[in-house]
Amino acid sequence: MAQANISPAPRQDKKVIIMGAMLHIGNGNVIDNGYLIFERGKITGVGDATVVRIDPTGSTLINANGKHIYPGFIAPLTNLGLAEFESVKATLDFSEMGNFNPHIRSLVAYNTDSKVPATLRSNGVLMAQITPQGGLVTGSSSVVQLDAWNWEDAAIRTDGAMHVNWPATLRLRGNNLRGNSAADAIKEVSRNRIAELEQLFIEAKAYADMTKPEVVNTRLEAMKRLFSGTQQLFIAANSQTDIMDAVKFAKKFNITPVITGADEAYLITDFLKSSGVSVVIGQPHALPSGSDEDVNLPYRKAGMLMDAGIPVALSVEGYWQQRNLPFMAGTVSAWGLNKERALQTITLNAAQILGIADKTGSLEIGKDATLFISAGDALDMRTNRVEQAFIQGRDINLDNLHKQLDKKFSDKYRAVPKMKKE
């Protein structure tokens, strides 16, 4: 009774036809009364149900009248599956010692037996970018789907991005800038770290240019794909100065980075657009980064950046709160984006930024059948009720530990007899 009872779903063995739902394609388009067909894990048909007749013979037919179908939501930049109990050090496996760890692969530490991913699936989050943390160069992230027996089965894109934490520039104002020896020392540390980072990239580029190195260097070997263009570079930077410096740094090595965090990206939209940079912004449910900023600014950033023509995805810090990702998108839909554009920040935009848009991110023919059916608006916590979800065509179990505990204690207190009045 104490063992896990939520097993990954078996491979799809029968064609599935869903009829009558509102299809939120993920690219900004909506079909009010649509049909969706998938078999062998791939979408084979999608369109307006009012203009076609579909023969359901030999298929599983799902009547979804009045309901909504969405592409599976994607959670970037999370240590999901690398942490279980924050108070128990032995369950934390997302950070390594030292500043330079490009050889670290988060995927091999990803725990598919974690109790947390199942809680995300119940809100439509079906994929995640498992990301290492700590140091200046933290290692490689991979994108996984959240219903698998092991990390090999889970992987959608393996080691797709290398992650760098840009050394933050100290920001002081007014008299604080004059004669402050502590500030000068901090600035010197930051400059030294940037110099070390640049030296690492120079050495890695030279190593990558070698046909056959005499000695294999595992750290530099792990960075070779950055320079061939088959791996992305994600740089965490927040101030406008740091963002610009980080982009210019990457451009020196002919790399167009993805900027993450990006608190002040809204101040340099022209620069970011001309540089071809995409942005993964931090969670909107947060306070502004500056004391003199508009308190509503975190809600508005996604709309400001997308209106400027910059591809934007939303992220949420940590792992346990990832289930709230769709509601973060719901918030930005009330502050500058309509619902379908907000939806893109956790579907197609996220897929494009993570390099998996050929497989997922929208309800289009040829892509993975990774999607879910909700009884209501999935971006609104009052109406989001995921009734059925599919990952690569597999009808997954939507039970989770939270639901089990809710049932257990609901049953307990329903079973307690009412006390008799004295």
Side-chain angles (χ1 to χ4, degrees):
M1 294 293 290
Q3 303 309 310
N5 58 2
I6 304 171
S7 298
R11 184 175 300 177
Q12 181 186 7
D13 60 0
K14 193 175 184 180
K15 181 166 71 173
V16 175
I17 302 172
I18 308 175
M19 297 293 295
M22 178 179 286
L23 303 183
H24 300 265
I25 304 301
N27 58 7
N29 297 324
V30 177
I31 300 175
D32 290 328
N33 182 1
Y35 70 88
L36 186 74
I37 305 171
F38 54 93
E39 53 186 319
R40 297 181 181 177
K42 297 290 184 180
I43 297 173
T44 57
V46 58
D48 189 340
T50 64
V51 297
V52 297
R53 294 187 64 182
I54 297 173
D55 181 7
T57 303
S59 305
T60 298
L61 180 63
I62 299 174
N63 184 346
N65 289 335
K67 299 176 182 179
H68 301 257
I69 298 179
Y70 296 87
F73 298 154
I74 306 167
L77 303 174
T78 172
N79 58 10
L80 179 73
L82 305 180
E84 196 71 9
F85 304 104
E86 291 179 325
S87 59
V88 181
K89 187 175 181 181
T91 71
L92 307 180
D93 198 14
F94 53 79
S95 180
E96 294 292 334
M97 298 291 290
N99 271 331
F100 301 103
N101 294 301
H103 58 301
I104 294 300
R105 303 176 64 219
S106 62
L107 181 61
V108 296
Y110 176 63
N111 177 22
T112 53
D113 291 326
S114 169
K115 295 290 192 298
V116 183
T119 67
L120 276 59
R121 302 197 303 249
S122 292
N123 276 354
V125 180
L126 305 182
M127 293 161 284
Q129 181 192 27
I130 309 305
T131 307
Q133 301 172 356
L136 292 181
V137 181
T138 68
S140 295
S141 66
S142 294
V143 182
V144 300
Q145 51 86 3
L146 303 184
D147 184 65
W149 288 107
N150 50 58
W151 62 262
E152 292 97 331
D153 293 343
I156 295 175
R157 188 182 184 200
T158 300
D159 301 327
M162 183 70 66
H163 294 262
V164 169
N165 291 318
W166 189 257
T169 301
L170 185 67
R171 290 183 289 176
L172 296 174
R173 296 180 181 180
N175 293 331
N176 289 327
L177 291 172
R178 298 172 189 167
N180 191 325
S181 59
D184 290 341
I186 293 172
K187 289 179 182 178
E188 183 65 22
V189 169
S190 180
R191 283 193 293 267
N192 289 341
R193 287 182 173 176
I194 293 172
E196 291 173 356
L197 189 63
E198 184 162 11
Q199 183 61 35
L200 173 68
F201 271 70
I202 290 171
E203 292 176 4
K205 178 67 169 64
Y207 184 90
D209 290 340
M210 293 182 185
T211 305
K212 190 176 180 180
E214 292 184 10
V215 178
V216 174
N217 184 313
T218 54
R219 283 179 168 81
L220 303 184
E221 190 76 29
M223 298 177 69
K224 288 175 70 173
R225 292 173 55 223
L226 277 176
F227 305 104
S228 66
T230 56
Q231 187 181 48
Q232 295 168 281
L233 178 62
F234 280 54
I235 305 180
N238 285 305
S239 75
Q240 56 179 316
T241 301
D242 288 344
I243 293 171
M244 294 178 73
D245 288 345
V247 172
K248 292 174 183 176
F249 168 84
K251 292 287 188 178
K252 286 183 184 178
F253 300 95
N254 296 318
I255 300 170
T256 299
V258 174
I259 297 297
T260 69
D263 282 348
E264 294 185 354
Y266 70 97
L267 296 172
I268 49 172
T269 53
D270 289 343
F271 170 79
L272 294 173
K273 185 177 180 180
S274 64
S275 300
V277 172
S278 300
V279 173
V280 182
I281 61 175
Q283 58 197 54
H285 293 187
L287 292 172
S289 57
S291 59
D292 56 351
E293 292 177 338
D294 178 2
V295 71
N296 297 319
L297 181 60
Y299 308 150
R300 296 168 43 223
K301 284 179 186 175
M304 296 167 73
L305 291 168
M306 287 185 69
D307 287 344
I310 298 167
V312 174
L314 293 183
S315 66
V316 179
E317 184 180 2
Y319 64 100
W320 62 269
Q321 199 186 170
Q322 296 298 325
R323 61 184 178 178
N324 291 324
L325 180 66
F327 313 136
M328 304 285 179
T331 297
V332 302
S333 75
W335 292 86
L337 295 175
N338 63 39
K339 276 286 174 71
E340 300 310 314
R341 292 183 74 206
L343 177 65
Q344 287 180 254
T345 63
I346 56 174
T347 55
L348 188 57
N349 280 14
Q352 290 171 339
I353 290 171
L354 299 182
I356 56 172
D358 60 326
K359 300 176 181 177
T360 190
S362 59
L363 304 176
E364 297 180 90
I365 292 174
K367 292 192 176 184
D368 290 348
T370 300
L371 53 100
F372 66 92
I373 303 171
S374 174
D377 181 354
L379 303 190
D380 187 340
M381 66 173 62
R382 298 168 301 178
T383 60
N384 179 16
R385 190 168 76 249
V386 177
E387 296 185 342
Q388 200 166 3
F390 301 86
I391 292 180
Q392 297 169 338
R394 298 176 295 109
D395 189 355
I396 67 171
N397 188 339
L398 287 176
D399 197 8
N400 62 55
L401 186 60
H402 293 175
K403 291 179 179 179
Q404 292 170 2
L405 291 173
D406 176 69
K407 182 180 185 304
K408 174 180 177 179
F409 289 101
S410 295
D411 289 347
K412 175 181 178 180
Y413 291 108
R414 274 196 296 266
V416 175
K418 293 181 180 180
M419 295 182 64
K420 294 181 180 180
K421 293 182 179 179
E422 294 292 340

